[in-house]
Amino acid sequence: MRFMMIVKATSDSEAGVMPSPELLEAMLRYNEELAKAGILLAADGLQSSSSGIRISYPEPGGKPKVIDGPFTETKEIIAGYTLIEVKSREEAVEWAMRMPDPHGNGQGEIELRQVFEPEELSPHAGIQKQIRLQFKL
């Protein structure tokens, strides 16, 4: 089972405030633990939404609309993510609970979401499997 730990943005992360060296070191140690356990698939911080782009589809079958950041609702913005592969939902929660406060100031919030597996997307499971193999996901 794959799970994504989605780190929510704060006003500091949106302002481009970098984490302290101590927090960066704690996150590095945490990611090393995930890697040693053999469950880490990916982990990255994201730049603020001021450099982001949203593409929306306001009308069915219509032309996509491009919107440049920054975006207003900080609580809805993703500041980073960690993708893990574990045996159970409980194990995912255990690992998520071990993550250091992602912003180091008591404002951290992580959303844990399970990733669909190809067999769950039937009848398109074959297509999804091909995409995962092609892109080594």
Side-chain angles (χ1 to χ4, degrees):
M1 306 172 97
R2 292 176 297 146
F3 284 85
M4 180 175 278
M5 291 182 254
I6 302 165
V7 175
K8 299 297 185 109
T10 65
S11 55
D12 280 351
S13 67
E14 277 299 286
V17 176
M18 295 300 291
S20 70
E22 295 81 16
L23 179 55
L24 288 173
E25 181 63 34
M27 290 302 286
L28 179 62
R29 284 192 308 271
Y30 174 71
N31 288 340
E32 286 173 351
E33 287 180 44
L34 294 170
K36 285 179 186 173
I39 64 169
L40 180 63
L41 300 177
D44 291 296
L46 303 174
Q47 294 185 12
S48 72
S49 72
S50 63
S51 64
I53 300 164
R54 281 190 181 160
I55 299 170
S56 64
Y57 298 84
E59 297 179 30
K63 185 176 178 180
K65 181 178 177 184
V66 176
I67 304 161
D68 289 320
F71 309 119
T72 55
E73 285 295 321
T74 303
K75 292 176 107 176
E76 303 300 322
I77 297 172
I78 299 170
Y81 68 93
T82 301
L83 186 62
I84 58 175
E85 187 164 17
V86 294
K87 292 180 177 72
S88 69
R89 181 180 191 274
E90 293 76 23
E91 185 182 0
V93 171
E94 287 174 21
W95 279 104
M97 295 287 292
R98 292 172 64 179
M99 180 184 276
D101 175 352
H103 298 288
N105 56 14
Q107 294 181 16
E109 183 178 349
I110 302 167
E111 182 176 325
L112 188 61
R113 303 275 301 273
Q114 187 171 352
V115 177
F116 275 112
E117 298 301 332
E119 57 274 8
E120 296 174 305
L121 298 173
S122 184
H124 305 291
I127 295 169
Q128 292 295 324
K129 187 173 183 179
Q130 287 176 334
I131 291 170
R132 286 184 69 199
L133 290 173
Q134 180 179 355
F135 294 102
K136 296 177 180 67
L137 299 176

